[in-house]
Amino acid sequence: MTGNPTCMPSASLDGVDLHALSACVPTPFYAYSADAIRRRVEGLQRALAGLDAQLCFAVKANPNIGVLHLMAGLGVGADIVSAGELWRARRAGIPGSSIVFSGVGKTADEMAAAIDAGVWKFNVESADELSLLQAVARACGVVAHAAVRVNPDVDARTHAKISTGKAENKFGVDIDEARRWFADAAHWPDVRLDGLHAHIGSQILELAPFEQAMSRLAAFWRELAAAGHRIASIDVGGGLGVAYRAGMDRPIDPADYVGAIRRQLHGFDGRIVLEPGRYLVAEAGVLVTRVVRVKAGREREFLVLDAAMNDLQRPALYDAWHDIHVLHEGGRPRARYDVVGPVCETGDTFARDRDLPRCEAGDLVLIAGAGAYGASMSSNYNSRPLLAEVLLDEGRYAVVRRRQSLAQMAENEHLPTAWSVA
Ligand code: LLP
């Protein structure tokens, strides 16, 4: 999108006029630009040229099957963390052979489903999980391929709630423990431990923590190779940050990021895996919402939108900033608003004291940077149905999720007419 960052008189996204779209799809809804997603994927793929590298999109960032289908068409695999994400990835046409399975809480059923789907690699995060994978692989009659998720004890210098690579975090195992796993490989005859993995956090805007983690992985790979262990894959995780504040946040250039991979993993002859989530989709998405009313409080003025914290949790959960654009014909004076939703919590605030053009009921408002961890983290809180999601592509749109109906929202709920005894 171009133009004044907070007032966009005739905004269109991927060739679709958003005013016209909002006449066809009632607000609030998420809109994603297919072109913007493609440009991110292809840019990263270009930077990786010449390396044996596989992008595995972190499905949690945006699990919509239409979005995953777009990824599949671009040769992007999936990083999954649940049987649900596995099911979505497979439905969208992502082959099991380009899926990696992360997460500290994989259950036996999830492991069996992943083996059944031919998932390429389990990113194993504890000795207990490794033993369970051994048992499940044995029962399934296969040898499961696994990577150790190493906790490199690196501070990603991001929000504490999305930092994952410090020793105090629940993720991965330290290198001493990982070393013992390789030494004891005979204990797990039905697991081929032939990969290394690290993911240090999300929305990372500095190269140094990535490079530090990669250098620890690389040193460990060299040590293991010298001891005769074949390492077939090194997965450097996700975490590339994006610009939530246009002109302020300075994301890492993908060429610099891949430059660090080339430097640190120089001489590695296996496959390099990247698990970007946010980087591929965040800036491709907007939450399209409408002003319900402008409320003058005693101390502040509130812009009350028809979207709320249940639709986009990031501001309430992480105090995250999202740029906000008002779509109208321009020429209005400025005002300062607390931008809020209708949910009954003070935390239902998208922005505080934000400088915006003066608004009135009915104005369209875009919340930017909403393509990642937006719809995917939404809930039915306050009995608000999940929003529609729309994919835009070269002047056309496709509704890739219909808005949930009230009946769908409560379809698994019943009056207690049939009582049982457990
Ligand atoms: N790989 C693993 C193992 C992960 O846990 C994650 C994200 C990713 C890859 C992708 O990270 P990304 O490239 O998207 O940074 N809800 C939070 C973000 C949570 C990230 C969780 N793990 C937010 O809205 O900021």
Side-chain angles (χ1 to χ4, degrees), residues 58 60-61 79 102 149 162 197 199 201-203 238-240 275-278 314 318 373 377:
K60 60 175 82 69
D79 162 49
S102 306
R149 177 164 178 180
I162 54 174
H197 172 232
H199 169 77
S202 201
Q203 181 56 10
L240 275 173
E275 301 172 348
R278 187 188 320 263
R314 301 196 70 260
Y318 317 114
Y373 307 110
M377 293 174 68

Side-chain angles (χ1 to χ4, degrees), residues 272-293:
I272 296 167
V273 181
L274 289 78
E275 301 172 348
R278 187 188 320 263
Y279 178 76
L280 299 184
V281 293
E283 289 171 78
V286 291
L287 173 55
V288 184
T289 165
R290 219 178 264 290
V291 176
V292 175
R293 65 180 50 87

Side-chain angles (χ1 to χ4, degrees), residues 138-193:
R138 167 61 59 96
C140 295
V142 300
V143 172
H145 289 223
V148 183
R149 177 164 178 180
V150 169
N151 183 323
D153 196 16
V154 167
D155 184 352
R157 294 161 55 87
T158 183
H159 192 287
K161 284 188 183 160
I162 54 174
S163 170
T164 53
K166 288 199 276 185
E168 70 201 51
N169 300 134
K170 69 180 174 182
F171 300 97
V173 297
D174 64 36
I175 287 189
D176 288 339
E177 178 165 355
R179 191 179 285 120
R180 287 198 294 277
W181 292 8
F182 281 95
D184 295 344
H187 293 171
W188 303 285
D190 300 287
V191 176
R192 185 175 306 150
L193 199 57

Side-chain angles (χ1 to χ4, degrees), residues 7-39:
C7 171
M8 306 168 68
S10 62
S12 69
L13 186 58
D14 218 336
V16 177
D17 180 272
L18 294 173
H19 276 293
L21 182 61
S22 70
C24 307
V25 180
T27 61
F29 61 88
Y30 279 97
Y32 311 124
S33 158
D35 182 56
I37 294 174
R38 261 187 229 112
R39 275 189 278 121

Side-chain angles (χ1 to χ4, degrees), residues 319-337:
D319 290 319
W321 175 287
H322 285 258
D323 279 343
I324 295 178
H325 309 283
V326 180
L327 303 190
H328 61 62
E329 293 310 315
R332 298 196 196 167
R334 311 291 296 179
R336 298 194 81 86
Y337 293 116

